[in-house]
Amino acid sequence: METVITISGADKAGSLAGLVVFLTRKGYVVKGQKLSELPSGARLLKIRLDLAQLDKEKLAAEIKALDPQYNVLSVAFDGGAAEKAKAQTPAQSASALIKEMASQFPDIVALVRAYGGAFDLKARGEALFDAGKKIGGFNYRKEWSFGNPLKMPAALRRALVPALEKFARVEATDIQIVLHDSPFCGTDGQINCCDFVTGFMQGFLDAGPLSMRTQVEQAACRARGQSHCAYTVAYEA
């Protein structure tokens, strides 16, 4: 049971990210989103929420307050949206949402959760891992590809750790990284997005010419009752 919101005026860069972050912080579970372009060049944004009813007038006013150009054209309950979205949403919205992650980095936690919510449980882990790889590789090329490339484990300590510290407190050895209070972990009933972090690390290291022969795996997770999220990094010495 889902509600589909159709919004016009979301033409500016960052509009999708801003709306998804707003809705997530308000407590809505964003299941997916789709951008479509009208013949006039204007864009319509459709966002699916995992609930059967809401206060339409209140939500429309809150969205309007974010930006006067936003107009909520419709708020419609769609009992069949979930079945249709399984085939449509990931393929149609994933690319746009990953681009938003790249442009909004490191303020991407809400975007990552919305992305994960667009997939069912069976496909979610792989989808989050692949998205993380893309963002990790993008971040390395944007911020760390200049100068002399680093070998392992220097690449882990001097490049990957600072990148991860934008999200949480990090402790690291030459073969393990611990994220304390990872914002991506699925505690308190939230969608668990730790696979995104695994992918981010893998993509980041793969992008380095001297650190590409590594294998990142999650070794511990707070969502599974452990005290922290930890990741091991295997590589050839």
Side-chain angles (χ1 to χ4, degrees):
M1 301 298 183
E2 299 176 354
T3 296
V4 180
I5 308 170
T6 302
I7 303 169
S8 67
D11 300 310
K12 296 186 295 185
S15 293
L16 172 60
L19 285 164
V20 169
V21 169
F22 164 76
L23 291 168
T24 302
R25 287 176 177 171
K26 295 290 288 186
Y28 297 106
V29 177
V30 179
K31 296 292 292 182
Q33 51 284 312
K34 177 184 176 183
L35 280 169
S36 58
E37 188 167 328
L38 301 176
S40 63
R43 297 195 301 174
L44 292 182
L45 173 60
K46 292 189 176 183
I47 300 177
R48 293 186 299 110
L49 303 179
D50 187 17
L51 76 172
Q53 58 184 3
L54 50 73
D55 188 330
K56 299 179 182 180
E57 289 74 18
K58 180 181 178 182
L59 180 60
E62 290 174 336
I63 290 176
K64 187 76 171 178
L66 287 176
D67 190 319
Q69 294 187 15
Y70 294 159
N71 287 303
V72 177
L73 301 181
S74 66
V75 179
F77 167 67
D78 186 353
E83 291 302 317
K84 292 182 288 184
K86 286 180 182 178
Q88 295 177 344
T89 300
Q92 293 177 344
S93 66
S95 178
L97 199 52
I98 288 174
K99 288 180 181 178
E100 291 288 353
M101 292 180 203
S103 66
Q104 298 295 323
F105 188 89
D107 299 320
I108 62 171
V109 176
L111 291 171
V112 172
R113 291 200 185 282
Y115 182 88
F119 297 85
D120 61 30
L121 186 60
K122 184 177 181 180
R124 183 178 299 154
E126 183 178 355
L128 284 167
F129 180 83
D130 289 342
K133 283 188 67 175
K134 291 175 182 177
I135 299 302
F138 170 83
N139 183 253
Y140 177 88
R141 290 186 292 271
K142 181 180 179 181
E143 299 188 17
W144 300 94
S145 60
F146 305 101
N148 295 325
L150 298 172
K151 297 180 180 179
M152 293 293 291
L156 184 154
R157 289 183 172 275
R158 293 166 52 186
L160 179 57
V161 167
L164 293 170
E165 285 177 334
K166 296 177 181 179
F167 302 122
R169 184 167 65 89
V170 178
E171 291 183 6
T173 67
D174 288 351
I175 59 171
Q176 186 179 68
I177 291 178
V178 173
L179 267 68
H180 294 277
D181 298 322
S182 170
F184 298 99
C185 192
T187 55
D188 301 325
Q190 296 176 314
I191 292 174
N192 189 8
C193 298
C194 286
D195 288 308
F196 176 88
V197 181
T198 308
F200 181 90
M201 295 183 189
Q202 189 69 66
F204 188 99
L205 294 173
D206 284 350
L210 299 182
S211 61
M212 61 176 60
R213 289 190 174 90
T214 60
Q215 181 66 47
V216 181
E217 294 183 354
Q218 187 171 21
C221 180
R222 285 193 302 136
R224 298 198 296 263
Q226 291 154 314
S227 61
H228 51 253
C229 295
Y231 302 82
T232 58
V233 183
Y235 56 93
E236 297 178 3

